[in-house]
Amino acid sequence: MGRRRSGSVTLTDVARRAGVSVATASKALNNRSEVAEETRSRVRLAAAELSFPPGRETIFGTSRVIGLLTDEPGGRLSIPVLLGVEESLGDTETSVVLCDARGDPGRRRHHIRTLLDRRVEGFIVLGEDNDVRPSLTRDIPVPVVYVYGESDDLADLSVLADDAEGARLAAEHLLSLPRRRVGHITGPKSSRAARDRAAALRRVLDGRGLVPAGGEPLYGEWSRRWGRHAARDLLAADPGVDAIFCGNDQIADGVCEALAGLGRAVPGDVAVVGYDNWRTLAADCRPPLTTVDEELGRMGAIAMECLSAALDGRPASGVIRHPGRLVVRESTGPAAT
């Protein structure tokens, strides 16, 4: 058989020549015990025929390598997810490589190709929001799990934050204080997370026979500036507002700033709840924010557990929604008497 230049040969080529999956080829070339000797020999023969050197087995020797591919800039999501993935691995011989595609399809293809060439055994694909995204699975011949971004392919497995449940926790908390004139300021209406949280708040209020303060939710930006602007509009439309549920912590911080400027005490006059538990902001807000923590680390751990199952021959599909938890701080409290 003819030989190809080693620089142009990928692990996918070896797997195709040997008639096995890329994951199996990687395991065989890394002397993993779960690969039958006959399969291991066939893969090594294919690698030799294609001039795929033994020294290229993985980027981390004989350990299992997982790729964490993100489009999210800044690391606010990717770092907690990465930490959750690594914590779930414990003492196993598995390494995680974080690659930032920066939303660029070309960079994404490059990272996928490079990691496959170095015999990565699986991918966790991290979105920058909870919206539906195009599946990458058809371009990745090893197991893939999506986190914080739902694949549009029903055959894929996606681990998502349960926005509706998080909003329910926030709404129930405000009503328990008790507050009855609850307004909602959130991000763009194009965001599924914003819509799901708004709809969940409305269901809780409807169930208590209440209407949202100011009427409809105020959709805008995920920013402090929008929080300041929208809070002033909300108070002008409904001066009786005694609670505001915000779509994220940045909006909530802006709301608290605007309320202070309007002479409204937080939480005495108006209780404020944020979303995300972005700790560098929520804990330092004045006052510190009650907020919903999506538990990104736990979502990363769930994604890794699912990917490990797929690598062991137990793949799954569908959507796993993680509910998160409410973190209570000083921005909520009993109404002033």
Side-chain angles (χ1 to χ4, degrees):
M1 296 183 183
R3 291 177 176 255
R4 297 171 60 180
R5 291 186 303 108
S6 62
S8 64
V9 178
T10 69
L11 182 60
T12 301
D13 297 323
V14 175
R16 186 180 299 114
R17 173 69 69 92
V20 299
S21 69
V22 173
T24 297
S26 177
K27 293 174 184 178
L29 291 170
N30 286 303
N31 291 316
R32 298 286 293 276
S33 60
E34 60 264 42
V35 180
E37 186 57 40
E38 185 275 333
T39 302
R40 191 191 325 275
S41 297
R42 191 165 76 250
V43 171
R44 289 193 173 277
L45 175 61
E49 291 173 344
L50 294 173
S51 298
F52 194 72
R56 295 174 63 192
E57 286 160 10
T58 77
I59 53 178
F60 287 104
T62 59
S63 66
R64 171 178 279 178
V65 183
I66 301 301
L68 177 55
L69 183 64
T70 178
D71 282 327
E72 181 260 334
R76 189 176 69 83
L77 300 176
S78 58
I79 298 305
V81 169
L82 174 63
L83 293 175
V85 168
E86 291 185 331
E87 185 174 349
S88 74
L89 293 172
D91 296 328
T92 62
E93 292 187 358
T94 303
S95 300
V96 184
V97 181
L98 175 63
C99 295
D100 179 9
R102 305 178 189 177
D104 182 342
R107 287 179 62 90
R108 191 181 304 118
R109 288 191 297 269
H110 167 74
H111 287 313
I112 291 171
R113 185 170 58 249
T114 299
L115 290 177
L116 287 173
D117 191 33
R118 287 161 173 77
R119 305 181 191 180
V120 70
E121 294 190 27
F123 281 87
I124 293 174
V125 177
L126 172 65
E128 60 179 322
D129 53 42
N130 236 15
D131 283 357
V132 177
R133 61 168 298 156
S135 174
L136 301 176
T137 306
R138 65 182 64 88
D139 300 320
I140 302 177
V142 295
V144 183
V145 172
Y146 298 81
V147 61
Y148 209 78
E150 181 179 354
S151 168
D152 63 2
D153 188 337
L154 297 178
D156 291 334
L157 180 67
S158 305
V159 181
L160 306 179
D162 192 335
D163 288 303
E165 177 60 14
R168 186 195 68 78
L169 292 173
E172 295 284 2
H173 173 66
L174 289 170
L175 296 181
S176 74
L177 296 177
R179 304 296 170 114
R180 293 295 179 264
R181 301 294 299 156
V182 182
H184 186 39
I185 300 172
T186 190
K189 199 168 187 178
S190 60
S191 165
R192 185 171 70 162
R195 297 193 305 272
D196 287 352
R197 294 168 193 173
L201 171 64
R202 188 61 179 263
R203 286 193 295 271
V204 172
L205 295 178
D206 286 348
R208 302 292 185 88
L210 302 173
V211 296
E216 295 301 312
L218 296 177
Y219 291 99
E221 303 172 349
W222 301 113
S223 68
R224 290 183 181 90
R225 180 178 62 182
W226 168 240
R228 291 192 297 268
H229 176 79
R232 290 190 288 266
D233 286 351
L234 178 59
L235 269 292
D238 192 336
V241 170
D242 63 6
I244 302 176
F245 171 40
C246 302
N248 75 354
D249 293 339
Q250 290 171 291
I251 292 173
D253 190 32
V255 165
C256 288
E257 182 181 337
L259 290 172
L262 293 169
R264 301 293 184 99
V266 179
D269 298 319
V270 183
V272 178
V273 175
Y275 210 102
D276 292 339
N277 195 29
W278 189 3
R279 294 183 183 180
T280 56
L281 174 60
D284 289 337
C285 182
R286 296 184 180 179
L289 280 173
T290 292
T291 183
V292 177
D293 190 330
E294 297 173 295
E295 297 192 317
L296 295 169
R298 180 58 189 148
M299 291 173 62
I302 293 171
M304 189 61 236
E305 291 163 8
C306 294
L307 184 59
S308 294
L311 290 168
D312 292 336
R314 294 177 286 110
S317 60
V319 174
I320 297 173
R321 298 187 185 278
H322 183 65
R325 62 189 176 93
L326 185 72
V327 179
V328 179
R329 297 192 180 95
E330 288 89 332
S331 69
T332 58
T337 58

